[in-house]
């Protein structure tokens, strides 16, 4: 086993300081194949993947001043799916274990990761390599010699890109949009009992959704964010209708910096709108799109990344004991979370080697949340929206999908069961 260790990255510190029973900071990415999973072949494929991607074979440890990741020789094993999605991977009672798990059900392979290990981009890389290895074992004659996308070198994938690209640019914490600086409407209503969250998976034809977005001159992200904002507005209490509805949007920083890291490398921006009651999707989506493009300017994204990184470099911070740091970071994260009504993360189009296409039906993704979090991805002609909600009421998502269906889109929706008493 390699004798290597390294400190967790900037974003991982936030996840570690804000783990709760309802939100254990775990994300799931799944691939559904055209045939049921062979457990033995999946176990062999996982062993091969662990060797291909050693950066994921680490355990998390608590030091006096920081958390750190250490290379591990633990043997990962897939298991039949029996836990609820996005169940805890790290916590007070789960220590010295790998920070991901692989499960299967029917034709579906699930990879779940603790967010301190990686972000959605890294998790998707792991799943794609695992699926490739699995299919190569199951269909050796058809897939012999097919190139595998396993990213960059181990050193590049282990890079802390927050540190690498820090350049002391002037911080840009405050959104350019005045509405995003207004008091924000929070989601109301009772939470599900027993620290549960409910999972919803919506399927839509990607070409039809893109056509509607392009007809308004906006991106798919802006179109979906506007539709979900309108759904939230319908459920907003009258006394709070003067507050802004704000959507948090994770941004992949690899689009702005030449990074191949498989660790966390993203920031979250927010755009907001103060409703008057006259808005429609046709009017709201272009406004949000303009605000989103302003926030996504390279100058603002880079400055915002540096602003968060600068906190770690404040004199006197490094020798502060870890429990104190966690308390401060957790409080700061709670304050920031109060500025967002819901979160929408667009992972974009999932691409695999063309030779694998006959064996793959699609991909889906979720991220644990104590509010409302929707993760979007597409594969082939299928656009998949994975929503996680901690609310008993499903009215917001009902409004959202009903509006999409009434606009002429074909919607297929699945939901997990929860205990209500």
């Amino acid at each position: 086993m390699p004798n290597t260790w390294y400190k967790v990255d900037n974003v991982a510190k936030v996840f570690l300081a804000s783990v709760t029973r309802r939100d254990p900071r775990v994300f799931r990415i799944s691939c559904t194949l055209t045939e049921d999973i062979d457990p033995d072949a999946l176990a062999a494929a996982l062993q091969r993947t662990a060797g291909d991607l050693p950066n994921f074979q680490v355990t998390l440890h608590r030091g006096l001043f920081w958390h750190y990741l250490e290379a591990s020789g633990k043997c990962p094993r897939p298991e039949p799916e029996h836990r609820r999605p996005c169940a805890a991977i790290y916590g007070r009672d789960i220590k010295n274990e790998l920070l991901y798990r692989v499960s299967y059900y029917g034709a579906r392979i699930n990879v779940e990761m603790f967010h301190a290990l990686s972000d959605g981009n890294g998790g998707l890389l792991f799943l794609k390599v695992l699926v490739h290895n699995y299919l190569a074992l199951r269909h050796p004659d058809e897939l012999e010699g097919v190139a595998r996308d396993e990213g960059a070198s181990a050193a590049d994938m282990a890079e802390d890109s927050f540190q690498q690209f820090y350049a002391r640019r002037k911080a840009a914490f405050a959104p350019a949009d005045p509405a995003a600086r207004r008091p924000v409407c929070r989601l109301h209503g009772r939470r599900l009992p027993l620290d549960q969250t409910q999972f919803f998976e919506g399927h839509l034809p990607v070409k039809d959704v893109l056509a509607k977005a392009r007809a308004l001159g906006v991106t798919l992200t802006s179109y979906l964010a506007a539709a979900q904002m309108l759904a939230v507005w319908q459920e907003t209490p009258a006394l709070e209708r003067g507050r802004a509805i704000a959507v948090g949007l994770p941004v992949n920083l690899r689009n702005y910096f030449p990074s191949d890291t498989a660790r966390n490398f993203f920031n979250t921006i927010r755009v907001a709108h103060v409703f008057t009651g006259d808005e429609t999707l046709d009017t709201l989506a272009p406004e949000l799109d303009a605000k989103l493009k302003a926030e996504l300017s390279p100058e603002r994204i880079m400055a915002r990344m540096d602003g968060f990184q600068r906190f770690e470099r404040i004199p006197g911070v490094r020798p502060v004991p870890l429990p104190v740091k966690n308390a401060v970071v957790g409080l700061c994260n709670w304050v920031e979370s109060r500025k967002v009504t819901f979160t929408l993360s667009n992972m974009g189009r999932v691409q695999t080697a063309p030779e694998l296409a006959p064996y793959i039906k699609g991909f889906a993704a979720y991220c644990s949340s104590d509010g409302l979090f929707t993760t979007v991805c597409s594969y082939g002609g299928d656009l998949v929206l994975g929503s996680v909600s901690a609310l008993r009421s499903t009215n917001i998502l009902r409004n959202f999908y009903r509006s999409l269906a009434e606009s002429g889109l074909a919607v297929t929706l699945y939901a997990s069961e929860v205990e209500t008493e």
Side-chain angles (χ1 to χ4, degrees):
M1 179 185 72
N3 184 23
T4 58
W5 67 271
Y6 48 88
K7 290 192 293 182
V8 298
D9 58 67
N10 183 280
V11 171
K13 295 180 175 73
V14 177
F15 291 130
L16 283 161
S18 56
V19 168
T20 65
R21 291 180 61 183
R22 192 186 298 276
D23 183 3
R25 297 300 196 171
V26 172
F27 66 86
R28 165 187 283 210
I29 306 178
S30 302
C31 178
T32 301
L33 304 180
T34 57
E35 58 190 15
D36 283 352
I37 302 302
D38 179 333
D40 293 334
L42 182 60
L46 181 55
Q47 291 300 308
R48 181 177 296 181
T49 304
D52 294 337
L53 302 174
N55 303 94
F56 292 90
Q57 311 310 307
V58 295
T59 53
L60 182 64
H61 303 277
R62 181 191 296 262
L64 181 60
F65 303 112
W66 55 67
H67 287 94
Y68 63 95
L69 298 168
E70 185 174 29
S72 171
K74 285 184 173 292
C75 180
R77 296 186 182 280
E79 57 187 27
E81 185 175 9
H82 63 278
R83 298 180 177 89
R84 66 184 182 183
C86 300
I89 289 178
Y90 177 82
R92 198 167 285 183
D93 301 324
I94 310 173
K95 296 182 179 179
N96 201 32
E97 297 290 340
L98 295 175
L99 300 179
Y100 71 89
R101 71 168 67 95
V102 174
S103 63
Y104 58 92
Y105 177 81
R108 187 178 65 228
I109 300 173
N110 309 303
V111 171
E112 295 178 322
M113 285 191 180
F114 184 38
H115 228 318
L117 173 62
S118 185
D119 56 19
N121 189 82
L124 181 59
L125 168 67
F126 187 95
L127 176 60
K128 287 166 63 176
V129 173
L130 175 60
V131 169
H132 192 133
N133 286 336
Y134 172 80
L135 291 174
L137 289 171
R138 291 284 292 161
H139 305 278
D141 295 335
E142 295 87 343
L143 299 178
E144 183 180 3
V146 176
R148 184 178 58 212
D149 177 16
E150 57 189 56
S153 67
D156 287 340
M157 286 193 284
E159 177 186 84
D160 183 344
S161 291
F162 289 107
Q163 296 276 1
Q164 178 67 21
F165 296 105
Y166 173 69
R168 296 183 179 177
R169 287 166 282 250
K170 185 178 179 181
F173 288 116
D177 173 22
R181 299 195 289 270
R182 293 276 296 271
V184 169
C185 176
R186 301 283 295 161
L187 296 180
H188 289 274
R190 296 171 64 193
R191 261 44 179 180
L192 288 164
L194 308 175
D195 297 317
Q196 295 177 97
T197 50
Q198 190 167 16
F199 296 79
F200 301 83
E201 185 171 300
H203 293 256
L204 301 95
V206 65
K207 63 179 180 60
D208 294 345
V209 183
L210 283 173
K212 289 189 174 293
R214 287 166 180 162
L216 297 177
V218 304
T219 64
L220 184 143
T221 299
S222 297
Y223 183 84
L224 294 175
Q228 203 157 49
M229 267 192 178
L230 286 164
V232 171
W233 164 252
Q234 294 176 47
E235 301 302 316
T236 301
L239 289 177
E240 292 205 12
R241 291 202 162 188
R243 292 173 171 259
I245 294 178
V247 53
L249 299 156
V251 178
N252 182 4
L253 294 177
R254 298 168 186 83
N255 295 330
Y256 295 84
F257 299 92
S259 171
D260 290 314
T261 185
R263 299 171 68 182
N264 286 299
F265 196 42
F266 74 96
N267 256 328
T268 300
I269 62 171
R270 65 181 187 273
V271 294
H273 181 79
V274 180
F275 281 74
T276 65
D278 298 325
E279 292 83 357
T280 65
L281 187 55
D282 290 356
T283 61
L284 182 60
E287 179 183 330
L288 283 187
D289 193 66
K291 292 179 178 180
L292 179 57
K293 287 175 180 174
E295 290 295 331
L296 290 176
S297 69
E299 296 77 17
R300 288 191 62 80
I301 290 293
M302 293 178 182
R304 185 173 176 81
M305 185 201 78
D306 275 6
F308 285 103
Q309 188 66 27
R310 188 176 292 123
F311 278 125
E312 293 191 28
R313 298 168 182 265
I314 296 175
V317 166
R318 290 189 177 184
V320 174
L322 182 59
V324 177
K325 288 177 180 171
N326 279 345
V328 173
V329 172
L331 177 61
C332 291
N333 179 71
W334 180 84
V335 171
E336 284 297 307
S337 71
R338 306 291 293 177
K339 300 176 183 178
V340 172
T341 309
F342 67 95
T343 303
L344 178 74
S345 177
N346 188 354
M347 294 179 60
R349 183 174 60 164
V350 179
Q351 295 179 293
T352 62
E355 294 86 350
L356 304 185
Y359 309 99
I360 297 175
K361 290 182 66 175
F363 289 80
Y366 300 95
C367 188
S368 65
S369 173
D370 60 3
L372 177 61
F373 195 122
T374 298
T375 307
V376 183
C377 66
S378 67
Y379 178 79
D382 191 24
L383 180 69
V384 182
L385 282 62
S387 294
V388 179
S389 174
L391 300 172
R392 283 176 179 259
S393 172
T394 59
N395 288 352
I396 291 174
L397 290 173
R398 179 201 63 191
N399 297 341
F400 174 60
Y401 283 108
R402 178 179 291 172
S403 71
L404 295 178
E406 289 176 348
S407 73
L409 293 169
V411 177
T412 303
L413 182 63
Y414 305 93
S416 64
E417 294 183 354
V418 293
E419 296 181 37
T420 57
E421 298 296 338

